[in-house]
Amino acid sequence: MATQANKQDHTGDRAERAAVEGDYDAVVVGAGFGGLYALHRLREKGLSVIGFEAAPEVGGTWYWNRYPGVRCDVPSLYYSYTWSEELRREWRWSEKYAARREILDYAKYVADRFRLRDLLRFQTRVVSASFDEASGRWLVRTDRGDEIRARFCIMASGALSVPNSPKTPGLESFRGPIYHTARWPEQEVDFSGLRVGVVGTGSSGVQAIPLIAEAAKHVVVFQRTPNFSVPARNRALQDEDFKQFDAAFPAYCESLASPNAGRVNSSAFEAPIPSRDEQWRRYEELWQEGGGGFLLSFPNLLTHEAVNDVACDFVREKIRQIVKNPKTAAALSPSGYPLGVKRICVDTNYYETFNRDNVELVNLKEEPLEALTADGVKTSARQFDLDALVFATGFDAITGALFAMDIRGRNELRLQDAWAEGPRAYLGIAVADFPNLFIITGPGSPSVIGNMINACEQHVDWLTDCIDHMRAQDFRIIEPDPAAERAWMTHVAEMAERTLFPKADSWYLGANIAGKPRVFMPYVGEGYRHRCAQIAARGYEGFRLT
Ligand code: N01
């Protein structure tokens, strides 16, 4: 899509530099929270390591996502690394849910504090990585002519980093600027006095729409599927919050490694079905508290329709109470899929925004979007004249960034071909036929279902310990046994099937991308970390070490 954002050169001028060549122990692709920690840990273990990052700065998806209202939906005290006590003491978040700017500052602080920038080549995109059988090394090439060899290749390219840009007919004919939330320009976009169309009502749209509506003359929201959204009730953090967090921190870290930790744990299948009254009371408490903690209301919320249906009713009732126009309220009310199985949105004044005179909701289920024209958007029923358009249409999640590179394993096998019927990765971290390649938060690991920053840390700790073990035992190659990989992916699928997750067309399933195999990618079961630790303790059970 020729959007305003990628028409401009976001990465600025690329400073001249000589191409890098040579041999390293490890290469890290991406300088988001996974890549930064991987660089730190690998260097700490005494490995020679180099990192490549397409952006001119660290931060990963937080570098590129600059749309109005962008902030994290995980409380900032928890959306933080746990691996450095010093870092934890030094960094002080200002708000319960940090805005993008502060998260980016945190990533920059980490890069400076731990001297990671020297290891990184910025404004450099990895274009290919291929495994050379003879030397047992990866040959990695970039768009700046770098050619490096490395024993280990660590893909920290992100689960939500490649924008999904629908190929809407007439895209090139629209006269105004087109923005994508995941590739927003660096300079502030001034919508004042403009008629703005927003396509998409996931987390990004739900955050952006209220602020665009405050600035613009008129906003038309093109909604295909309404999402469940809960209020964030964001606020400044107080000393008391830090005290409470410090007290809870050791138990929190312990809980991450517990055999029961996970989005859905075994208690879900044993817990009684709470009465409607009990549920209503609990949802009201959590609604007032604000945030995605709503999903922690009952252990069987994501496994039992009888429970989930009440939660859906509760949110729909809230929408009816907030949105004055009954037709708009009905159109904003999700139905036909359970709450929480598409990522729940966490908003500030989202539903309230539809009470504004300058905001209009278009239900694309009733009048599908047919094309862009020079003047705006044409649905099957009407033409909407617009000055600017925003696509808040999400990402090609989990596999998108990997497929954007030409990754080849044994016998030139392309990752795309290996995953033609859906991604497969043992523990979501390593792939049969792709030796010594590690994917941070890959398909088959909890990744996007939990706290991404903690998920990245766990993968980095696991893979660096694995590399340590290999060096100590003089192993050169590690790769999953295909049978172990198959068994793991079967388990991932079975766990998802025991829940309500597959009952919605979500990006977890690849349903948002035409032609993408419909495979539920994240691991929703319990004890993932515990299992990874056990597998390591048993000499990397299910892996072949040679
Ligand atoms: O993307 P989405 P997102 N025509 O895929 C619609 C994380 N995140 O960027 O549902 C019309 O959720 C699509 O409609 P439908 C978070 O994990 C976190 O908002 O496919 N509409 C949907 O409404 C989140 O889940 C934070 O029918 C089209 C929307 O676009 C993930 O990123 C903030 C369309 C896309 O929603 C993705 O969120 C932002 C088309 N052709 C993101 N194609 C926080 O931490 C798509 N849509 C708060």
Side-chain angles (χ1 to χ4, degrees):
M1 185 197 299
T3 64
Q4 182 73 6
N6 58 27
K7 267 186 224 160
Q8 296 162 354
D9 182 12
H10 264 297
T11 53
D13 292 334
R14 299 210 293 189
E16 284 298 315
R17 67 162 175 83
V20 183
E21 288 179 0
D23 275 279
Y24 293 82
D25 292 321
V27 56
V28 175
V29 181
F33 285 114
L36 286 177
Y37 184 41
L39 290 167
H40 172 71
R41 276 278 276 169
L42 290 165
R43 183 180 57 190
E44 200 179 52
K45 294 276 182 192
L47 275 79
S48 60
V49 57
I50 185 167
F52 293 110
E53 167 56 55
E57 187 46 275
V58 297
T61 200
W62 294 107
Y63 173 80
W64 298 103
N65 278 263
R66 314 182 175 102
Y67 59 84
V70 53
R71 61 175 69 246
C72 191
D73 57 5
V74 175
S76 45
L77 288 168
Y78 291 90
Y79 196 78
S80 304
Y81 285 131
T82 61
W83 53 268
S84 166
E85 188 56 22
E86 295 78 32
L87 175 64
R88 200 166 72 74
R89 300 259 165 238
E90 290 161 19
W91 188 264
R92 197 178 160 95
W93 294 105
S94 66
E95 290 179 285
K96 182 169 182 188
Y97 297 102
R100 174 257 183 191
R101 171 48 65 192
E102 198 172 9
I103 300 169
L104 196 63
D105 285 346
Y106 178 70
K108 289 180 186 173
Y109 182 78
V110 169
D112 294 331
R113 167 78 170 73
F114 297 95
R115 294 174 299 101
L116 302 175
R117 291 182 190 277
D118 299 349
L119 304 175
L120 278 158
R121 299 295 177 275
F122 290 101
Q123 294 178 293
T124 305
R125 190 171 284 283
V126 168
V127 291
S128 68
S130 52
F131 181 70
D132 174 42
E133 297 275 352
S135 63
R137 301 178 86 75
W138 284 88
L139 172 62
V140 173
R141 293 196 169 97
T142 76
D143 65 350
R144 298 186 70 158
D146 308 304
E147 257 193 45
I148 64 110
R149 284 175 176 71
R151 167 101 28 226
F152 298 101
C153 185
I154 289 104
M155 292 300 179
S157 44
L160 294 165
S161 49
V162 172
N164 169 36
S165 303
K167 292 176 185 50
T168 314
L171 205 54
E172 298 299 329
S173 58
F174 180 60
R175 276 197 290 253
I178 304 179
Y179 305 96
H180 193 295
T181 43
R183 286 292 178 274
W184 203 261
E186 241 166 306
Q187 65 278 21
E188 207 179 315
V189 177
D190 183 7
F191 287 121
S192 52
L194 301 185
R195 299 160 301 172
V196 183
V198 182
V199 181
T201 52
S203 298
S204 304
V206 159
Q207 286 186 329
I209 288 162
L211 291 171
I212 296 175
E214 280 177 22
K217 182 167 118 194
H218 189 74
V219 176
V220 185
V221 176
F222 296 95
Q223 171 196 271
R224 193 164 63 182
T225 311
N227 259 301
F228 290 98
S229 191
V230 294
R233 305 204 194 283
N234 191 28
R235 59 175 175 79
L237 288 172
Q238 312 292 338
D239 287 345
E240 191 51 33
D241 295 307
F242 291 95
K243 271 193 215 139
Q244 278 177 12
F245 178 71
D246 282 347
F249 184 71
Y252 171 66
C253 292
E254 224 168 89
S255 73
L256 291 174
S258 127
N260 311 113
R263 175 50 85 204
V264 174
N265 66 34
S266 36
S267 67
F269 304 100
E270 293 146 17
I273 304 289
S275 71
R276 193 176 171 90
D277 285 351
E278 185 187 351
Q279 282 191 68
W280 212 265
R281 274 197 303 275
R282 184 73 188 125
Y283 297 141
E284 183 61 42
E285 282 167 12
L286 291 168
W287 184 272
Q288 295 312 329
E289 197 175 307
F294 196 89
L295 295 185
L296 306 176
S297 48
F298 295 97
N300 39 18
L301 176 72
L302 300 175
T303 50
H304 288 67
E305 268 172 289
V307 182
N308 199 287
D309 285 349
V310 180
C312 294
D313 285 348
F314 176 86
V315 175
R316 286 190 287 255
E317 175 63 27
K318 286 289 178 195
I319 298 171
R320 275 192 295 275
Q321 286 169 9
I322 298 169
V323 180
K324 292 188 183 128
N325 179 324
K327 190 163 176 263
T328 309
L332 284 167
S333 296
S335 64
Y337 71 92
L339 172 147
V341 302
K342 281 163 92 96
R343 171 94 175 195
I344 199 162
C345 301
V346 177
D347 73 90
T348 301
N349 293 334
Y350 178 63
Y351 294 121
E352 290 81 350
T353 294
F354 291 89
N355 292 332
R356 296 177 66 103
D357 292 340
N358 69 334
V359 177
E360 184 179 357
L361 181 70
V362 175
N363 183 351
L364 296 180
K365 287 266 156 70
E366 282 177 1
E367 46 176 310
L369 195 160
E370 287 189 338
L372 300 196
T373 64
D375 296 323
V377 166
K378 187 177 171 311
T379 67
S380 60
R382 290 176 280 175
Q383 162 78 28
F384 294 87
D385 288 348
L386 300 166
D387 303 306
L389 251 178
V390 173
F391 279 92
T393 43
F395 301 87
D396 182 356
I398 304 181
T399 56
L402 297 166
F403 288 173
M405 297 173 269
D406 183 10
I407 302 176
R408 290 171 192 247
R410 285 193 191 281
N411 305 314
E412 290 284 300
L413 176 65
R414 291 167 71 232
L415 190 66
Q416 280 95 325
D417 295 333
W419 288 2
E421 282 162 27
R424 51 173 179 79
Y426 184 38
L427 299 177
I429 195 167
V431 186
D433 288 321
F434 293 79
N436 293 359
L437 178 95
F438 295 103
I439 302 173
I440 297 181
T441 64
S445 72
S447 64
V448 289
I449 286 290
N451 177 334
M452 266 307 265
I453 201 163
N454 294 163
C456 290
E457 284 183 296
Q458 185 252 339
H459 268 189
V460 170
D461 284 336
W462 193 90
L463 76 89
T464 43
D465 288 350
C466 171
I467 291 173
D468 238 11
H469 168 83
M470 289 175 69
R471 297 199 320 160
Q473 306 287 319
D474 210 13
F475 287 120
R476 303 195 134 212
I477 300 283
I478 185 165
E479 65 185 300
D481 182 332
E485 185 182 79
R486 267 196 306 279
W488 176 252
M489 291 315 282
T490 303
H491 175 60
V492 171
E494 281 170 358
M495 276 316 302
E497 284 303 327
R498 294 184 73 193
T499 73
L500 303 176
F501 275 100
K503 292 191 184 288
D505 288 334
S506 66
W507 56 259
Y508 297 144
L509 264 170
N512 62 330
I513 304 292
K516 195 162 169 170
R518 216 182 151 92
V519 170
F520 194 84
M521 293 182 279
Y523 179 61
V524 294
E526 68 182 345
Y528 173 79
R529 274 186 189 218
H530 183 71
R531 189 183 289 238
C532 289
Q534 279 182 328
I535 283 171
R538 292 185 199 129
Y540 295 89
E541 188 177 60
F543 285 91
R544 290 177 182 160
L545 283 148
T546 50

